[in-house]
Amino acid sequence: MRKSRLFTPGPTPVPEEVLLELARPVGYHRSAEAKATLAEVVRGLQYVLQTEQPVYVLTCSGTGAMEAAVSSVVAPGEKVILCTAGRWGERWRGILKAHGAELIAVEAPYGQAVTSDQLADALTHHPDAVAVYTTLCETSTGVGHDIAAFARLTAASSALLVVDGISGIGAMECRMDAWGIDVLVTGSQKALMMPPGLAYVAVSPKAWRKIEATPVRNFYFDLRRYRKALAEGPDTPFTPANTLIRAQRLALERLRAEGMEQVWARHARLAQATRTAVQALGLELFAQRPSNALTVIRVPAGVDGTGLLKKLEQHFGYKLADGQDTLKGKIWRLSHMGYVDPFDVLGAIAALELTLHSQGLAVPLGAGVAAFQREYARAQAL
Amino acid sequence: MRKSRLFTPGPTPVPEEVLLELARPVGYHRSAEAKATLAEVVRGLQYVLQTEQPVYVLTCSGTGAMEAAVSSVVAPGEKVILCTAGRWGERWRGILKAHGAELIAVEAPYGQAVTSDQLADALTHHPDAVAVYTTLCETSTGVGHDIAAFARLTAASSALLVVDGISGIGAMECRMDAWGIDVLVTGSQKALMMPPGLAYVAVSPKAWRKIEATPVRNFYFDLRRYRKALAEGPDTPFTPANTLIRAQRLALERLRAEGMEQVWARHARLAQATRTAVQALGLELFAQRPSNALTVIRVPAGVDGTGLLKKLEQHFGYKLADGQDTLKGKIWRLSHMGYVDPFDVLGAIAALELTLHSQGLAVPLGAGVAAFQREYARAQAL
């Protein structure tokens, strides 16, 4: 017997009752029941994003919602500041370039975070920038950005703050209204405990004023259509993945029942215990300002990082994620966001220890597990 | 006891084993297993669309795939011919306008089809048109277009033929390669027997030549990205709704096991028997060139069409679709595409008879059911 366990930073495990909900017969997406479900999902998302603004439900990958947050907001030739520290910052760059934005890139090396000082400089030098694009959690490196600090800077300027919160929302503290985020994007398949297929966009009044002044250049990702349909329905402008919406309602109910402060604290405990375990094994953390959504481990010199992950999966059923692009084989990414409890992560650490051990690396078996337990006991005051 | 039965022209009923597949734990979308599943889905879609061209899997509504078929194909200012006979032709118009196309509209009144003579005229007068956009099945009116005839005209010209086959594919004969369709779009939630959330686009070599010569103006709907990911993976360029892809594989297996000729013939029998039943009840068909995906009934003078549909659903659990926009209350739309058998439709006709009867209309109870049975027995040579 060998079970499969998913520790990739998206998709993530889905609670059993949410999976079962997906198997219920399909309904008509314009019925009163479907509208009531959508309204509940929007309220749940407002709570998760900590906003009173409506949240728009798009049927697409996170990248689609990111494109909506570009094409609706920025006209070709307008200047934007891009704070990028990894592959998902680069995704913003790709979309912004496709839509003709003039880009001012503020960069951090992979593994580090863009600082608020860097952003402050950029805003000073480019007072004509209409928006700042960045990521809450840079899933490719495990770095979390100080979005609260970024938002203090943009709030004092005319620029909007547009945040990719796809893998961060639900795993890291993020308060859209209190902090002053203008456009916040997230997706179903990370800490929101769902399969991929839905993405969400919330928009501040400041961002709406910019959107209203920006010529429409597309259709499916025109946020005006989502605003109109939600206000009039509540509805979506196009046939949505309605079985996913129905299931998202259940996953959001779990988050509300637990409470966002508790959800964030739970992720913080899991992340801290995981980082402690990794270091107890003599391994190095890759992210200098780590997110609580995932832990990224630097592959030790001389180890075939990609090969080891394959063995971890083949022998023990634990699926972690490799690095992407230039980081392939150089880092291991272990997600602890969403529907994950301490014993899930303990098992992953034990399996990692066994795999390192089987490769002849000098790993004290149980050292990571024990460190995880000690840190968890301390944090929980057990 | 009152069961709910879905007869809307999308979403449609989903086979039980496909629903159960949706409840299986979520996997990693870049695994070898996921790639093998995607490859199988692409082969299944090639069979359904009758094409040897690759079929691209997009996570979005049908409208998103339509936008991909516009933004990748037509540059702003280029001339296109739009053959439109209803709301979904108008959807093409909306997307084409958003992307700056110069539109030559070839129109038919709602309930009628654009003829190939009309298209021939338009092509003669506009030899500089780069593409013809139209619908296989105009779901808003129940009209089917003669796509084979349209394709003979475009094949002899430099223009591409781009077809919205969202509600037609799987219900009506459509042979992409043999007929010469250049871009064919469909969605998961119609005759492909799935929930909404996936859409599919197939592209001919003639269309690829045009796409390659057209500047990129967007990101998520850039078909080049889908071609590259499919060729290199097989993969999708962005995180797909992978639980839906896995389930679509099972639904496509059903179609392959039955055989497309048989699937089309089954829809033709159901549609013919339904039309016969409707007329036996003294009701009038709305579509002059009816599709086999759905039957559209003209609401008799003096009857509150919208109110009657509500009663049909409240009393008997049958959910048919109302007309949209200007047709609201004026037509009833009964879908028989996808996972629907004769006794499903018989029940819907019986429920419609009872509802008309309960409203004091002079309907001979059982007349529609008997006509359906007679026609079905004749077609099946029972």
Side-chain angles (χ1 to χ4, degrees), chain A residues 6 8-14 19-20 22-31 59-64 67 87-88 91 94-95 98-99 189-190 194-198 216-221 225 237-244 313 319-322 324 333, chain B residues 6 8-14 19-20 22-31 59-64 67 87-88 91 94-95 98-99 189-190 194-198 216-221 225 237-244 313 319-322 324 333:
Chain A
L6 191 63
T8 56
T12 62
V14 173
L19 290 173
L20 290 173
L22 290 167
R24 283 214 297 125
V26 180
Y28 186 54
H29 58 295
R30 306 287 185 220
S31 68
T59 296
C60 59
S61 309
T63 296
E67 184 160 13
R87 181 189 168 94
W88 298 101
R91 176 59 52 88
I95 300 170
H99 286 275
Q189 79 278 12
K190 311 276 184 174
M194 277 278 297
L198 295 176
V216 180
R217 295 186 320 283
N218 62 1
F219 197 87
Y220 190 76
F221 292 132
R225 295 179 186 273
F238 314 111
T239 306
N242 61 344
T243 57
L244 292 175
E313 186 179 7
K319 175 71 183 170
L320 275 64
D322 201 346
Q324 297 160 299
R333 297 182 298 148
Chain B
L6 192 63
T8 57
T12 63
V14 173
L19 289 174
L20 290 173
L22 291 167
R24 283 215 297 125
V26 180
Y28 186 53
H29 59 295
R30 305 288 184 220
S31 68
T59 297
C60 60
S61 308
T63 296
E67 183 160 14
R87 181 190 169 94
W88 298 101
R91 176 58 52 89
I95 299 170
H99 287 275
Q189 78 278 13
K190 310 278 183 174
M194 277 279 297
L198 295 177
V216 180
R217 295 185 321 284
N218 61 1
F219 197 88
Y220 191 77
F221 293 132
R225 295 178 185 276
F238 314 112
T239 306
N242 61 344
T243 57
L244 293 174
E313 187 180 5
K319 175 69 184 172
L320 275 65
D322 201 346
Q324 297 160 297
R333 297 182 298 149

Side-chain angles (χ1 to χ4, degrees), chain B residues 18 26 31 37 92 148 185 188 216 225 230 237 245 253 264-267 292 296 304 310 317 326-327 338 363 370:
Chain B
V18 178
V26 180
S31 68
T37 301
W92 275 133
V185 174
S188 57
V216 180
R225 295 178 185 276
L230 191 62
I245 292 176
E253 269 176 21
W264 295 329
R266 167 165 60 81
H267 282 90
N292 290 334
V296 180
D304 168 10
K310 280 189 185 143
T326 56
L327 288 173
V363 170

Side-chain angles (χ1 to χ4, degrees), chain B residues 248-323:
Chain B
Q248 181 67 85
R249 183 176 63 80
L250 293 191
L252 289 167
E253 269 176 21
R254 287 185 78 109
L255 294 174
R256 187 184 285 276
E258 188 176 356
M260 286 317 294
E261 276 83 3
Q262 291 307 313
V263 170
W264 295 329
R266 167 165 60 81
H267 282 90
R269 284 195 302 274
L270 274 182
Q272 185 54 43
T274 306
R275 293 191 285 260
T276 307
V278 163
Q279 291 173 306
L281 290 174
L283 298 171
E284 200 183 324
L285 298 170
F286 185 71
Q288 294 194 8
R289 191 177 191 282
S291 150
N292 290 334
L294 73 164
T295 295
V296 180
I297 305 163
R298 193 185 290 276
V299 173
V303 172
D304 168 10
T306 301
L308 191 130
L309 282 193
K310 280 189 185 143
K311 288 197 171 62
L312 181 57
E313 187 180 5
Q314 281 163 7
H315 296 170
F316 305 118
Y318 282 84
K319 175 69 184 172
L320 275 65
D322 201 346

Side-chain angles (χ1 to χ4, degrees), chain B residues 218-233:
Chain B
N218 61 1
F219 197 88
Y220 191 77
F221 293 132
D222 177 0
L223 289 173
R224 294 165 191 81
R225 295 178 185 276
Y226 290 86
R227 177 169 64 168
K228 183 166 183 285
L230 191 62
E232 291 176 1

